[in-house]
Amino acid sequence: LRSLAVCVTLASLQAAVAFAPTFLAPSKGCRCDNTATLGLRMQNDSPSIARRALLGSAGCWVLIGGNQKALAAKGAAPKPKTVSLETGLSYVIKKSADGPLASLALAVNPGDFVVINYIAYLRDGTIFDNTIKRGKPLAFQTGKKQVVPGLELGIMGMKAGEQRQLFLKSEWGYGEDGVCLETEEDDDATCLVPPDTDLVYDVTLINVGPAPNN
């Protein structure tokens, strides 16, 4: 901002010098009143002054543009890094566990009991399950095949308060079966998750505790 103020002031002064107003005396043959006519006239060295004014203004705009790009780059949030766990299974960390004791907090390991909130949706954005909306987090023990494999493996290493976005290929989700409901009145199955469908989970780990025998 200081650079901008200096540039504007400098450019204004240079422009004022280059295009300083002077009085133009009426010519002898002109029928004018006795008052001198006010006009704008370039000073004797006007070409060099004008060039300096234009160059100074151009330099200021270059400086301003550079500062704007630097501020934009500084304010831009870094793109989350994608972590690949297995072929077809990856995640990004949306929020890390924080607090003074975060480094000492328990991380999810196989066999642990966990409590999570999640929003599950198809790759086209269609939500098919949402524990937050239900108001009932999911509690389960890892390693017991109580959830789809990609969700179980995707939360390994998470700490309480951490948020991840998991990307599951269909084989890590519901596979070729999908989640389909058949009714007696309708032979056609209604699929909550169509067969061979990739999934996305937004997961927040609420709590984790080791199994009693661990």
Side-chain angles (χ1 to χ4, degrees), residues 27-38:
S27 60
K28 294 181 179 181
C30 177
R31 295 183 177 181
C32 304
D33 56 19
N34 294 330
T35 304
T37 304
L38 179 65

Side-chain angles (χ1 to χ4, degrees), residues 174-196:
Y174 294 99
E176 59 184 11
D177 294 329
V179 179
C180 300
L181 303 174
E182 294 183 3
T183 62
E184 296 179 357
E185 299 177 355
D186 190 357
D187 294 336
D188 294 333
T190 301
C191 294
L192 193 63
V193 178
D196 299 316

